[in-house]
Amino acid sequence: MSEQHSGRHFETTAIHAGQEPDAVTGAVVPPIHQVSTFKQDGVGGLRGGYEYSRSANPTRTALEENLAALEGGRRALAFASGLAAEDCLLRTVLRPGDHLVIPDDAYGGTFRLVAKVVERWGVSWSVANTGDPASVREALRPETKLVWVETPSNPLLGITDIAVIADLARSAGARLVVDNTFASPYLQQPLALGADVVVHSTTKYLGGHSDVVGGALVTSDVALAEELAFHQNAMGAIAGPFDSWLVLRGIKTLAVRMDRHSLNAARVVEALTAHPKVVQVYYPGLESHPGHETAAKQMRDFGGMVSFRVAGGERAAVEVCDRARLFTLGESLGGVESLIEHPYRMTHASAAGSALEVPADLVRLSVGIEAADDLLADLSQALG
Ligand SMILES: *Cc1c(COP(=O)(O)O)cnc(C)c1O
């Protein structure tokens, strides 16, 4: 897995890890093994360890080996969605009576899973500003088993110093989880910075084409990986063969896409910052961003997500979303096409009234890889 790819560059690993040409046919791309069960050569005589596709499927294995290599981990597991991956992690690591710390601007679905589902099973949680180590320290309890970090965060692009929080979590006897969805492993590798587990919604940059929903967990802790794999099979929310293949296909171009997303986002940020109707721009590449130095230290570049506040409040923000043409109004992010959305009414509606509520005048952009000039023209007309 990752070891045999060490020494190669990320771009090369993305294209080759877990993807040797097919042993029988020489097919250069791993086939879609659209199959539920595998013939056994005598009872228990499995070929390559495959018996039933919930337990393991060769196309999913190719994706899992690839993801492990990209994150510099020992093992990865692929799921039906990012939230299925999160659910598997939470139910593997936590028991009734345990406590976890979640960030005050977590992805809305993560918050909902913790507050509305996991809590009912006797797990308690606190909210912290993970960008501030003192806030995390204050939230830790003797029964804290997990610290959850999302950096850059969704939708406010907050930055957390992964190495600092990893030390804090370790000294409290808790594990650190990093949701690396916004950065992708090309821009940031949390395991190398001390995280115990990386979570992905592969729906986003890894898939990259808005045509698949998927999730993943990656870790270097082999014992934990075994437990996670047991739960993955026991609970069953696996990534199917075709979905695994789509994510693998997307990953081949991850590096070039992320470079272009970052370049285009920098152009968009420059234009927004100068626009009279824009009150504030959230982007870690801005020197005025409070997490800029940390982001520059732990990320290769600043990525394609940009949020901004519009003068005129909620109505003005909604109008900008409605007027955009090239930026498609929609949830999700990380695809080649640019998207625009209103977090308060859309992706983060479930956080309303909680500590995770987002400003009503906020607009979030997923800056795609179209020509930057076309994107700027659309934003300019949408802002009026
Ligand atoms: C989308 C997203 C998730 C959830 O992933 P799904 O694939 O939609 O289940 C988790 N974290 C972040 C940061 C996301 O953007």
Side-chain angles (χ1 to χ4, degrees):
M1 287 204 267
S2 57
E3 291 80 4
Q4 75 200 68
H5 296 281
S6 60
R8 285 189 181 168
H9 292 89
F10 185 95
E11 295 85 339
T12 310
T13 301
I15 292 168
H16 293 286
Q19 303 175 81
E20 289 305 313
D22 185 73
V24 176
T25 65
V28 171
V29 169
I32 304 167
H33 290 272
Q34 193 69 40
V35 62
S36 60
T37 193
F38 299 83
K39 175 185 169 18
Q40 304 192 7
D41 297 319
V43 174
L46 308 183
R47 300 185 190 177
Y50 295 103
E51 56 182 333
Y52 183 63
S53 281
R54 173 165 30 72
S55 313
N57 173 284
T59 315
R60 192 172 95 221
T61 302
L63 172 61
E64 292 177 340
E65 291 186 358
N66 183 268
L67 287 168
L70 292 189
E71 286 286 359
R74 305 276 293 270
R75 185 142 181 214
L77 299 161
F79 293 85
S81 70
L83 283 174
E86 295 186 15
D87 180 39
C88 180
L89 173 65
L90 292 167
R91 285 203 270 167
T92 300
V93 171
L94 300 173
R95 302 283 179 277
D98 288 345
H99 172 262
L100 78 153
V101 177
I102 58 170
D104 62 6
D105 57 348
Y107 172 70
T110 300
F111 172 70
R112 184 177 53 201
L113 177 64
V114 168
K116 303 268 166 73
V117 180
V118 174
E119 187 189 86
R120 285 172 39 200
W121 300 92
V123 170
S124 62
W125 51 279
S126 310
V127 165
N129 169 7
T130 57
D132 172 14
S135 171
V136 174
R137 208 176 290 117
E138 231 169 79
L140 290 167
R141 299 190 197 158
E143 59 274 19
T144 305
K145 291 285 157 39
L146 217 54
V147 176
W148 197 283
V149 159
E150 204 183 299
T151 182
S153 70
N154 180 11
L156 292 174
L157 285 308
I159 296 294
T160 294
D161 191 321
I162 296 171
V164 167
I165 304 301
D167 279 346
L168 258 180
R170 194 176 303 111
S171 59
R175 285 188 167 112
L176 176 66
V177 184
V178 175
D179 184 334
N180 204 25
T181 298
F182 267 37
S184 89
Y186 177 63
L187 297 185
Q188 173 173 278
Q189 304 195 328
L191 297 177
L193 298 166
D196 296 288
V197 184
V198 167
V199 172
H200 276 289
S201 170
T202 57
T203 314
K204 315 296 167 52
Y205 286 108
L206 286 162
H209 296 73
S210 305
D211 54 11
V212 62
V213 171
L217 300 173
V218 192
T219 183
S220 287
D221 179 336
V222 175
L224 176 61
E226 277 302 318
E227 275 189 77
L228 291 168
F230 171 82
H231 282 81
Q232 180 194 39
N233 182 49
M235 284 152 50
I238 44 123
F242 185 49
D243 288 356
S244 297
W245 186 88
L246 281 171
V247 176
L248 266 177
R249 180 185 165 109
I251 286 172
K252 291 179 196 293
T253 55
L254 179 67
V256 287
R257 284 188 286 110
M258 293 315 294
D259 281 341
R260 181 66 170 264
H261 282 297
S262 301
L263 272 174
N264 280 358
R267 290 280 309 280
V268 163
V269 164
E270 193 185 6
L272 288 175
T273 308
H275 200 286
K277 292 213 179 132
V278 173
V279 178
Q280 193 177 350
V281 180
Y282 299 87
Y283 188 64
L286 282 171
E287 269 173 45
S288 58
H289 185 291
H292 176 71
E293 260 178 56
T294 302
K297 183 181 69 179
Q298 68 190 16
M299 297 176 75
R300 190 198 291 252
D301 205 334
F302 304 104
M305 297 303 296
V306 179
S307 291
F308 61 99
R309 297 174 78 165
V310 184
E314 180 173 354
R315 237 191 73 195
V318 168
E319 279 169 10
V320 169
C321 294
D322 286 343
R323 276 196 299 261
R325 291 286 167 264
L326 180 54
F327 278 85
T328 303
L329 178 61
E331 303 197 354
S332 198
L333 60 110
V336 291
E337 65 288 298
S338 293
L339 298 176
I340 189 166
E341 67 118 358
H342 185 250
Y344 185 79
R345 290 198 194 170
M346 294 171 63
T347 48
H348 290 65
S350 63
S354 76
L356 284 82
E357 184 171 293
V358 297
D361 58 359
L362 191 75
V363 172
R364 189 189 78 180
L365 303 177
S366 172
V367 180
I369 63 170
E370 300 96 334
D373 288 342
D374 294 334
L375 297 177
L376 298 187
D378 188 45
L379 281 177
S380 165
Q381 70 78 23
L383 279 160

